[in-house]
């Protein structure tokens, strides 16, 4: 392998409440370090993005896996996608309930079926066939998600207000072989209609990966992201010769002017340049390249540590 591996993760774009900032920062840093650990040992981009996303699904700070927001009926329904830039294989699941890690199921859809997307009951049957343990729905529901759901049910409430705090999670990576991959996972919009599928499970919207140009994972207002097929749009801009940062900004700007949608993206191109950009107030993100960790939440915020330093403080708890 000749490439220097890179991983970039996001914990969702939107509004991150003050009391959750610390946990969001720690969560994306942990995910990036885990993914980088795999890449550094010569592991694949695919394994690295799956591991990074799994780490955030298990973290109640994020709207994915445990900590997902609730639909109108007060249940968790999750979407996830993973994509391999080598051959454009992808696997996704939508509206899945009662499993801890939808990203693992998406990976199995990619590798064990001829299909790319399984939904709801069919995804559930497939999970059973694959021996994925069932997690009682209550286990995925945090106190906070339940409170927010109740608040949104009040007659004078405005769920739209809360949907600014979205928190899809995602990861993109390039490995030492030069292969890229992306993964994205979410609990969706709070108080969404039963059966609503957003951008996350849709190839080209929630994520896209192609060795020829790079990989991207998106977060933000799902319906807007779907209208402009945001992930693919960014790669298209890079194919036209734009840098990751320029491609991301151009695409986000287009989404904002054309359909009034806000969001965030992480990008890595085929030569290992990366970007984390957003048009929302905040987006938690972290990246590791050349044994340097960078992370932030606010526009213009960027902390840098060596990986060794980060791993040391990681083991002491932030």
């Amino acid at each position: 392998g000749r490439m220097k591996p890179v991983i970039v993760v996001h914990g969702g774009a939107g509004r991150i409440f003050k009391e959750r900032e610390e946990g969001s920062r720690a969560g994306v840093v942990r995910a990036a370090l885990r993914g980088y650990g795999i890449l550094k040992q010569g592991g694949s981009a695919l394994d690295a993005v799956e591991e990074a996303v799994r780490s955030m699904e298990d973290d109640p700070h994020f709207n994915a896996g445990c900590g997902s927001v609730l639909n109108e009926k007060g249940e968790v329904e999750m979407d996830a996608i993973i994509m391999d830039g080598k051959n454009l294989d992808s696997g996704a699941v939508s509206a899945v309930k009662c499993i801890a890690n939808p990203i693992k199921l998406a990976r199995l859809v990619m590798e064990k079926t001829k299909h790319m997307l399984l939904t709801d009951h069919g995804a559930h049957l497939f999970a059973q066939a694959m021996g994925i343990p069932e997690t009682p729905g209550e286990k995925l529901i945090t106190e906070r998600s339940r409170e927010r759901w109740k608040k949104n049910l009040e007659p004078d409430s405005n769920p739209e207000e809360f949907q600014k705090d979205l928190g899809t999670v995602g990861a993109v990576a390039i490995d030492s072989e030069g292969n890229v991959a992306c993964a994205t996972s979410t609990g969706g919009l709070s108080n969404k209609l039963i059966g609503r599928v957003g951008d996350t499970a849709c190839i080209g919207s929630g994520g896209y990966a192609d060795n020829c140009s790079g990989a991207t994972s998106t977060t933000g207002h799902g319906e807007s992201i779907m209208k402009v097929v945001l992930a693919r749009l960014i790669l298209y801009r890079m194919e036209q010769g734009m840098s990751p940062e320029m491609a991301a900004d151009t695409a986000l700007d287009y989404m904002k002017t054309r359909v009034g949608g806000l969001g965030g993206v992480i990008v890595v191109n085929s030569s290992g340049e990366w970007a984390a950009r957003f048009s929302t107030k905040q987006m938690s993100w972290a990246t590791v390249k050349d044994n340097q960790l960078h992370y932030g939440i606010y526009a213009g915020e960027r902390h840098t540590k060596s990986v060794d330093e980060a791993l040391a403080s990681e083991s002491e708890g932030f």
Side-chain angles (χ1 to χ4, degrees):
R2 310 150 309 289
M3 277 303 298
K4 279 186 177 159
V6 182
I7 186 154
V8 195
V9 306
H10 69 73
R15 195 180 49 179
I16 297 162
F17 294 100
K18 267 280 177 265
E19 75 275 7
R20 301 178 67 75
E21 262 183 36
E22 217 30 61
S24 296
R25 262 195 206 98
V28 288
V29 164
R30 184 178 306 119
L33 290 171
R34 283 197 181 164
Y36 192 67
I38 289 175
L39 294 171
K40 219 177 142 63
Q41 290 158 12
S44 70
L46 215 46
D47 286 344
V49 295
E50 182 186 356
E51 176 57 33
V53 165
R54 198 189 58 74
S55 161
M56 290 183 285
E57 285 177 340
D58 291 344
D59 186 330
H61 280 94
F62 302 108
N63 172 19
C66 174
S68 287
V69 298
L70 310 186
N71 67 12
E72 54 175 359
K73 247 179 73 180
E75 299 172 333
V76 165
E77 284 188 322
M78 301 166 290
D79 299 342
I81 193 167
I82 193 164
M83 186 166 182
D84 183 349
K86 205 184 332 193
N87 49 16
L88 307 188
D89 272 354
S90 178
V93 293
S94 73
V96 295
K97 303 181 184 80
C98 303
I99 61 166
N101 297 111
I103 200 64
K104 280 173 98 159
L105 191 56
R107 174 94 186 248
L108 288 167
V109 169
M110 177 173 82
E111 292 182 343
K112 306 284 186 206
T113 77
K114 293 191 175 76
H115 307 311
M116 284 171 72
L117 172 58
L118 290 181
T119 190
D120 197 359
H121 183 58
H124 174 73
L125 294 176
F126 177 65
Q128 281 181 327
M130 290 289 117
I132 290 190
E134 210 168 302
T135 304
E138 298 70 70
K139 271 228 156 106
L140 299 173
I141 299 178
T142 57
E143 200 39 54
R144 179 169 183 267
S145 294
R146 198 181 291 288
E147 272 169 25
R148 155 164 314 172
W149 173 71
K150 284 200 188 116
K151 256 205 189 92
N152 285 346
L153 289 179
E154 291 165 12
D156 57 349
S157 87
N158 176 12
E160 297 290 310
E161 233 337 272
F162 279 110
Q163 285 164 10
K164 294 195 175 79
D165 173 27
L166 291 168
T168 300
V169 306
V172 295
I174 187 165
D175 59 30
S176 56
E177 301 295 312
N179 293 313
V180 298
C182 70
T184 313
S185 180
T186 190
L189 291 179
S190 38
N191 297 61
K192 62 188 177 177
L193 294 183
I194 291 165
R196 179 260 187 185
V197 177
D199 63 296
T200 299
C202 302
I203 189 170
S205 293
Y208 202 82
D210 182 347
N211 281 5
C212 301
S213 44
T216 180
S217 168
T218 67
T219 167
H221 185 247
E223 280 68 15
S224 299
I225 290 170
M226 291 160 96
K227 287 174 185 175
V228 302
V229 200
L230 185 62
R232 191 66 192 84
L233 182 59
I234 291 166
L235 289 196
Y236 170 66
R237 292 293 179 207
M238 293 201 300
E239 286 158 5
Q240 290 181 318
M242 284 187 188
S243 68
E245 190 159 304
M246 187 71 186
D249 286 349
T250 306
L252 284 168
D253 192 51
Y254 174 71
M255 183 168 83
K256 192 173 173 178
T257 52
R258 186 69 180 86
V259 297
L262 301 179
V265 298
I266 50 173
V267 191
V268 65
N269 72 7
S270 51
S271 49
E273 299 174 298
W274 63 273
R277 309 293 291 171
F278 48 99
S279 52
T280 50
K281 270 214 173 74
Q282 289 143 295
M283 179 179 80
S284 53
W285 63 273
T287 184
V288 185
K289 180 180 182 173
D290 284 336
N291 278 310
Q292 291 289 306
L293 163 77
H294 309 277
Y295 60 97
I297 286 187
Y298 293 95
E301 175 195 359
R302 181 159 160 186
H303 306 279
T304 303
K305 282 181 181 178
S306 76
V307 165
D308 296 337
E309 190 190 339
L311 285 169
S313 60
E314 172 74 3
S315 54
E316 294 152 26
F318 266 63

